[in-house]
Coordinates of all heavy atoms in Angstrom, one line a residue:
H250 N 0.9 -1.2 0.0 CA 0.0 0.0 0.0 C 0.9 1.2 0.0 O 1.4 1.6 1.1 CB -0.9 0.0 1.2 CG -1.8 1.2 1.3 ND1 -2.8 1.4 0.4 CD2 -1.8 2.3 2.2 CE1 -3.4 2.6 0.7 NE2 -2.8 3.1 1.8
G251 N 1.1 1.8 -1.2 CA 2.1 2.9 -1.3 C 3.4 2.5 -0.8 O 4.0 1.5 -1.4
G252 N 4.0 3.2 0.1 CA 5.4 2.9 0.6 C 5.5 2.0 1.7 O 6.5 1.8 2.4
I253 N 4.3 1.3 2.1 CA 4.4 0.4 3.2 C 3.8 -1.0 2.8 O 3.2 -1.1 1.7 CB 3.6 0.8 4.5 CG1 2.1 1.0 4.1 CG2 4.1 2.2 4.9 CD1 1.2 1.3 5.3
V254 N 4.0 -2.0 3.6 CA 3.5 -3.3 3.4 C 2.8 -3.8 4.6 O 3.3 -3.6 5.8 CB 4.7 -4.3 3.1 CG1 4.2 -5.8 3.3 CG2 5.1 -4.2 1.6
R255 N 1.6 -4.4 4.4 CA 0.9 -5.0 5.6 C 1.3 -6.5 5.5 O 1.0 -7.2 4.5 CB -0.5 -4.8 5.5 CG -1.3 -5.5 6.7 CD -2.7 -5.1 6.7 NE -3.5 -5.5 5.5 CZ -4.6 -4.9 5.1 NH1 -5.1 -3.9 5.9 NH2 -5.2 -5.2 4.0
L256 N 2.0 -7.0 6.5 CA 2.4 -8.4 6.5 C 1.5 -9.1 7.5 O 1.5 -8.8 8.8 CB 3.9 -8.5 6.9 CG 4.4 -9.9 7.2 CD1 4.3 -10.8 5.9 CD2 5.9 -9.9 7.6
T257 N 0.7 -10.1 7.1 CA -0.1 -10.9 7.9 C 0.4 -12.3 8.0 O 0.6 -13.0 6.9 CB -1.6 -10.9 7.4 OG1 -2.0 -9.6 7.2 CG2 -2.5 -11.7 8.3
V258 N 0.6 -12.8 9.2 CA 1.1 -14.1 9.5 C 0.0 -14.9 10.1 O -0.4 -14.6 11.2 CB 2.4 -14.1 10.3 CG1 2.9 -15.6 10.5 CG2 3.5 -13.3 9.6
T259 N -0.4 -16.0 9.5 CA -1.4 -16.9 10.0 C -0.8 -18.2 10.4 O -0.1 -18.8 9.5 CB -2.6 -17.1 9.1 OG1 -3.0 -15.8 8.7 CG2 -3.7 -17.9 9.7
H260 N -0.9 -18.7 11.5 CA -0.3 -20.0 12.0 C -1.5 -20.9 12.4 O -2.1 -20.7 13.4 CB 0.7 -19.9 13.1 CG 1.6 -21.0 13.2 ND1 2.9 -20.9 13.6 CD2 1.5 -22.3 12.9 CE1 3.5 -22.0 13.6 NE2 2.7 -23.0 13.1
E261 N -1.8 -21.9 11.5 CA -3.0 -22.7 11.8 C -2.7 -24.1 12.2 O -1.5 -24.6 12.0 CB -3.9 -22.8 10.5 CG -4.3 -21.4 10.1 CD -5.0 -21.5 8.7 OE1 -6.3 -21.6 8.7 OE2 -4.4 -21.4 7.7
N262 N -3.7 -24.9 12.6 CA -3.5 -26.3 13.0 C -2.5 -26.6 14.0 O -1.7 -27.5 14.0 CB -3.2 -27.2 11.7 CG -3.6 -28.6 11.9 OD1 -4.7 -28.9 12.5 ND2 -2.8 -29.5 11.4
L263 N -2.4 -25.6 15.0 CA -1.5 -25.8 16.2 C -2.0 -27.0 17.1 O -3.1 -27.4 17.1 CB -1.5 -24.5 17.0 CG -0.9 -23.4 16.2 CD1 -1.3 -22.0 16.9 CD2 0.6 -23.5 16.1
A264 N -1.0 -27.6 17.7 CA -1.2 -28.9 18.4 C -2.2 -28.7 19.6 O -3.1 -29.5 19.8 CB 0.1 -29.5 18.9
D265 N -2.0 -27.6 20.3 CA -2.8 -27.4 21.5 C -2.6 -26.0 22.0 O -2.0 -25.1 21.4 CB -2.4 -28.4 22.6 CG -0.9 -28.4 22.9 OD1 -0.2 -27.4 22.7 OD2 -0.4 -29.5 23.2
G266 N -3.2 -25.7 23.2 CA -3.1 -24.3 23.8 C -1.7 -23.9 24.1 O -1.4 -22.8 24.0
Q267 N -0.9 -24.9 24.5 CA 0.5 -24.6 24.9 C 1.3 -24.1 23.6 O 2.0 -23.2 23.7 CB 1.2 -25.8 25.4 CG 2.7 -25.6 25.8 CD 2.9 -24.5 26.8 OE1 2.0 -24.3 27.7 NE2 4.0 -23.8 26.7
A268 N 1.0 -24.8 22.5 CA 1.7 -24.4 21.2 C 1.2 -23.0 20.8 O 2.0 -22.2 20.4 CB 1.3 -25.4 20.1
L269 N -0.1 -22.7 21.0 CA -0.6 -21.4 20.7 C 0.1 -20.3 21.6 O 0.5 -19.2 21.1 CB -2.1 -21.4 21.0 CG -2.8 -20.0 20.8 CD1 -2.7 -19.5 19.4 CD2 -4.3 -20.1 21.2
H270 N 0.3 -20.7 22.9 CA 1.0 -19.7 23.8 C 2.4 -19.5 23.3 O 2.9 -18.3 23.3 CB 1.0 -20.3 25.2 CG 1.8 -19.4 26.2 ND1 1.4 -18.1 26.6 CD2 3.0 -19.7 26.8 CE1 2.3 -17.7 27.4 NE2 3.3 -18.6 27.6
E271 N 3.1 -20.5 22.9 CA 4.5 -20.3 22.5 C 4.7 -19.5 21.3 O 5.5 -18.7 21.2 CB 5.1 -21.8 22.4 CG 5.3 -22.5 23.7 CD 5.7 -23.9 23.5 OE1 5.8 -24.4 22.3 OE2 6.0 -24.7 24.5
I272 N 3.9 -19.8 20.3 CA 4.1 -19.0 19.0 C 3.5 -17.6 19.1 O 4.0 -16.7 18.5 CB 3.4 -19.8 17.8 CG1 1.9 -19.9 18.0 CG2 4.1 -21.1 17.6 CD1 1.1 -18.9 17.2
S273 N 2.6 -17.4 20.2 CA 2.1 -16.0 20.4 C 3.3 -15.2 21.0 O 3.3 -14.0 20.8 CB 1.0 -16.1 21.5 OG -0.1 -16.7 20.9
L274 N 4.2 -15.8 21.6 CA 5.4 -15.1 22.0 C 6.5 -15.0 21.0 O 7.2 -14.0 20.8 CB 6.0 -15.8 23.3 CG 5.1 -15.8 24.5 CD1 5.8 -16.6 25.6 CD2 4.8 -14.4 25.0
G275 N 6.6 -16.1 20.2 CA 7.6 -16.1 19.2 C 7.5 -15.3 18.0 O 8.4 -14.5 17.6
W276 N 6.3 -15.3 17.3 CA 6.1 -14.6 16.1 C 6.3 -13.1 16.2 O 6.9 -12.4 15.4 CB 4.8 -14.9 15.5 CG 4.7 -16.2 14.7 CD1 3.9 -17.3 14.8 CD2 5.5 -16.5 13.5 NE1 4.2 -18.3 13.9 CE2 5.2 -17.8 13.1 CE3 6.5 -15.8 12.8 CZ2 5.7 -18.4 12.0 CZ3 7.1 -16.4 11.7 CH2 6.8 -17.6 11.3
P277 N 5.7 -12.4 17.3 CA 5.9 -11.0 17.4 C 7.4 -10.6 17.5 O 7.8 -9.6 16.9 CB 5.1 -10.6 18.6 CG 4.1 -11.7 18.7 CD 4.7 -12.9 18.3
A278 N 8.2 -11.4 18.2 CA 9.6 -11.1 18.4 C 10.3 -11.2 17.0 O 11.1 -10.4 16.7 CB 10.2 -12.1 19.4
V279 N 10.1 -12.3 16.3 CA 10.7 -12.5 15.0 C 10.4 -11.4 14.0 O 11.2 -10.8 13.3 CB 10.3 -13.9 14.4 CG1 10.8 -14.0 12.9 CG2 10.9 -15.0 15.2
L280 N 9.0 -11.1 13.9 CA 8.6 -10.1 13.0 C 9.1 -8.6 13.4 O 9.3 -7.8 12.5 CB 7.1 -10.1 12.8 CG 6.6 -11.5 12.3 CD1 5.1 -11.5 12.3 CD2 7.1 -11.7 10.9
A281 N 9.2 -8.4 14.7 CA 9.8 -7.1 15.1 C 11.2 -6.9 14.6 O 11.6 -5.9 14.2 CB 9.7 -6.9 16.6
N282 N 11.9 -8.0 14.7 CA 13.3 -8.0 14.2 C 13.4 -7.8 12.7 O 14.2 -7.1 12.2 CB 14.0 -9.3 14.6 CG 15.3 -9.1 15.3 OD1 15.6 -7.9 15.7 ND2 16.1 -10.1 15.5
L283 N 12.5 -8.5 12.0 CA 12.4 -8.3 10.5 C 12.1 -6.9 10.2 O 12.7 -6.3 9.3 CB 11.3 -9.3 9.9 CG 11.1 -9.2 8.4 CD1 10.5 -10.6 8.0 CD2 10.1 -8.2 8.1
K284 N 11.1 -6.3 10.8 CA 10.7 -4.9 10.6 C 11.9 -4.0 10.8 O 12.1 -3.1 10.0 CB 9.5 -4.6 11.5 CG 9.0 -3.1 11.4 CD 7.9 -2.9 12.4 CE 7.5 -1.5 12.5 NZ 6.8 -0.9 11.3
S285 N 12.6 -4.2 11.9 CA 13.8 -3.3 12.2 C 14.8 -3.4 11.2 O 15.4 -2.4 10.7 CB 14.3 -3.7 13.6 OG 15.5 -2.9 13.9
L286 N 15.1 -4.6 10.7 CA 16.1 -4.8 9.7 C 15.7 -4.1 8.4 O 16.6 -3.5 7.8 CB 16.3 -6.3 9.4 CG 17.3 -6.7 8.4 CD1 18.7 -6.2 8.7 CD2 17.3 -8.2 8.1
L287 N 14.5 -4.2 7.9 CA 14.1 -3.6 6.7 C 14.1 -2.1 6.8 O 14.3 -1.4 5.8 CB 12.8 -4.2 6.2 CG 12.8 -5.6 5.8 CD1 11.4 -6.1 5.3 CD2 13.8 -5.9 4.6
E288 N 13.7 -1.6 7.9 CA 13.5 -0.2 8.0 C 14.7 0.6 8.4 O 14.9 1.8 8.1 CB 12.3 0.1 9.1 CG 11.0 -0.3 8.6 CD 9.8 0.0 9.5 OE1 10.1 0.3 10.7 OE2 8.7 0.0 9.1
T289 N 15.6 -0.1 9.1 CA 16.9 0.7 9.6 C 18.1 0.0 9.1 O 19.2 0.7 9.3 CB 16.9 0.6 11.2 OG1 17.1 -0.7 11.6 CG2 15.6 1.1 11.8
G290 N 18.1 -1.1 8.5 CA 19.3 -1.8 8.1 C 20.0 -2.6 9.2 O 20.9 -3.3 9.0
E291 N 19.4 -2.6 10.4 CA 19.9 -3.3 11.6 C 18.8 -4.0 12.4 O 17.7 -3.5 12.4 CB 20.7 -2.3 12.5 CG 21.8 -1.6 11.9 CD 23.0 -2.5 11.6 OE1 23.1 -3.6 12.2 OE2 23.8 -2.1 10.8
V292 N 19.1 -5.2 12.8 CA 18.2 -5.9 13.7 C 18.2 -5.2 15.1 O 19.0 -4.3 15.4 CB 18.6 -7.4 13.9 CG1 18.5 -8.1 12.5 CG2 19.9 -7.5 14.5
L293 N 17.3 -5.6 15.9 CA 17.2 -5.0 17.3 C 18.5 -5.2 18.1 O 19.1 -6.3 17.8 CB 16.0 -5.5 18.0 CG 14.6 -5.2 17.4 CD1 13.5 -6.0 18.1 CD2 14.4 -3.7 17.5
P294 N 18.9 -4.4 19.0 CA 20.1 -4.6 19.7 C 20.2 -5.8 20.6 O 21.3 -6.2 20.9 CB 20.3 -3.3 20.5 CG 18.9 -2.7 20.6 CD 18.2 -3.1 19.4
E295 N 19.1 -6.3 21.0 CA 19.0 -7.6 21.7 C 18.0 -8.5 21.1 O 17.1 -8.1 20.4 CB 18.6 -7.3 23.2 CG 19.4 -6.3 23.9 CD 20.8 -6.7 24.2 OE1 21.0 -7.9 24.2 OE2 21.6 -5.8 24.4
E296 N 18.2 -9.8 21.2 CA 17.3 -10.8 20.7 C 16.0 -10.7 21.4 O 15.8 -10.9 22.6 CB 17.9 -12.2 20.8 CG 19.1 -12.5 20.0 CD 19.6 -13.9 20.2 OE1 19.2 -14.5 21.2 OE2 20.4 -14.4 19.4

């Protein structure tokens, strides 16, 4: 959309509630690092 991208990540068929909890923590962290890399040229200073 113009100069931005909307990135939607859908994770389906998860094994159980524990798997849902784990990826709910993991995906935002990974995608925040991706966003930082594309917008600034550097990943976040800490994992």
Side-chain angles (χ1 to χ4, degrees):
H250 178 69
I253 65 172
V254 161
R255 178 169 61 203
L256 174 60
T257 304
V258 179
T259 306
H260 202 148
E261 302 174 90
N262 205 39
L263 294 162
D265 49 33
Q267 179 61 31
L269 176 63
H270 173 71
E271 291 173 356
I272 64 100
S273 296
L274 298 175
W276 277 122
V279 170
L280 297 174
N282 233 10
L283 179 153
K284 177 180 171 71
S285 178
L286 178 61
L287 290 180
E288 293 184 342
T289 71
E291 299 290 339
V292 296
L293 296 171
E295 306 292 340
E296 293 180 342

